[in-house]
Amino acid sequence: MHSNEQTVAKVFALYERFGDSDYIGEPVSQIEHMSQAAQCAMAEGFDDEVVLAAFFHDIGHICAGGAENMGGYGVVSHERLGADYLRRAGFSERMARLVEYHVQAKRYLTLKEPGYYERLSEASRRTLEYQGGMMTEAEADAFEQDPLCEVSLRMRQWDEQAKEMHVPVIDLEVLKRKAIGVLSLEVC
């Protein structure tokens, strides 16, 4: 259990160090954005892995020092870098894939949901260009077959909603306890 606590302390130290940083062209900080996404997942009653995936979905922007930049809008392939970071830390493949899929969900919704692209923030539109743009029909068909498709689409909605100013940040101790709990399950 001690190593799980150390792992969680290390992961959350990223937020303590970089959480107050600007969230790439949005009116909130990194920690405010992550907190709001996690709060959305909790409000909808999702399990701890989904709540944590919502919180960690953009961790690739803060764990990947020196990675290629998307024209001032964060880190190229942040979804994959973040998912790989969480895998190395010992989190589940499900959680890592949810983190990775939040960009795929944006690409999917841009294809499938009329008006979605127009509702994206300027930063989200700009980063879409670096993320492969709108999905093709074949990519969308494959994505729909993935068992994590539906929750990934919810996570994307939370990502879009989690840009409100003056929303109190969740107590990180709550999320740390959830993280220790899910890491403990991985060991069993």
Side-chain angles (χ1 to χ4, degrees):
M1 185 64 154
H2 184 48
S3 67
N4 288 344
E5 291 169 359
Q6 288 175 321
T7 297
V8 168
K10 181 181 173 186
V11 172
F12 278 83
L14 289 170
Y15 292 95
E16 290 158 8
R17 185 169 174 203
F18 301 111
D20 289 334
S21 299
D22 175 57
Y23 178 62
I24 51 172
E26 303 291 356
V28 293
S29 68
Q30 291 280 346
I31 193 70
E32 288 169 325
H33 177 65
M34 301 307 153
S35 171
Q36 289 177 37
Q39 289 177 64
C40 287
M42 289 173 70
E44 291 186 28
F46 278 88
D47 64 69
D48 289 349
E49 279 188 330
V50 174
V51 169
L52 290 166
F55 182 76
F56 292 142
H57 78 274
D58 277 341
I59 197 169
H61 287 304
I62 61 175
C63 74
E68 185 183 351
N69 191 291
M70 293 186 286
Y73 290 98
V75 174
V76 172
S77 300
H78 76 282
E79 70 282 6
R80 186 170 46 249
L81 295 169
D84 289 345
Y85 176 83
L86 293 171
R87 285 181 184 107
R88 286 191 304 273
F91 288 99
S92 72
E93 182 62 19
R94 178 178 178 241
M95 185 188 303
R97 286 176 55 212
L98 286 170
V99 167
E100 195 163 3
Y101 286 1
H102 83 278
V103 167
Q104 297 305 316
K106 177 168 78 169
R107 294 182 62 226
Y108 174 89
L109 289 168
T110 303
L111 172 70
K112 294 288 189 173
E113 190 176 297
Y116 180 78
Y117 179 83
E118 290 73 24
R119 291 192 306 273
L120 289 173
S121 68
E122 181 62 24
S124 287
R125 287 185 203 162
R126 292 270 178 95
T127 57
L128 182 63
E129 298 168 24
Y130 290 91
Q131 296 164 337
M134 181 188 306
M135 271 190 178
T136 64
E137 287 289 346
E139 289 172 321
D141 289 345
F143 187 60
E144 289 169 351
Q145 300 310 307
D146 192 293
L148 296 177
C149 178
E150 288 302 316
V151 71
S152 297
L153 295 175
R154 284 304 308 137
M155 274 190 50
R156 187 67 215 179
Q157 298 300 324
W158 303 330
D159 187 3
E160 297 302 330
Q161 294 167 13
K163 298 173 184 177
E164 297 295 322
M165 293 172 43
H166 312 297
V167 175
V169 172
I170 193 170
D171 179 357
L172 293 185
E173 291 304 316
V174 170
L175 296 176
K176 288 177 183 179
R177 284 192 299 275
K178 289 179 182 299
I180 290 168
V182 298
L183 282 171
S184 297
L185 292 174
E186 292 302 307
V187 175
C188 296

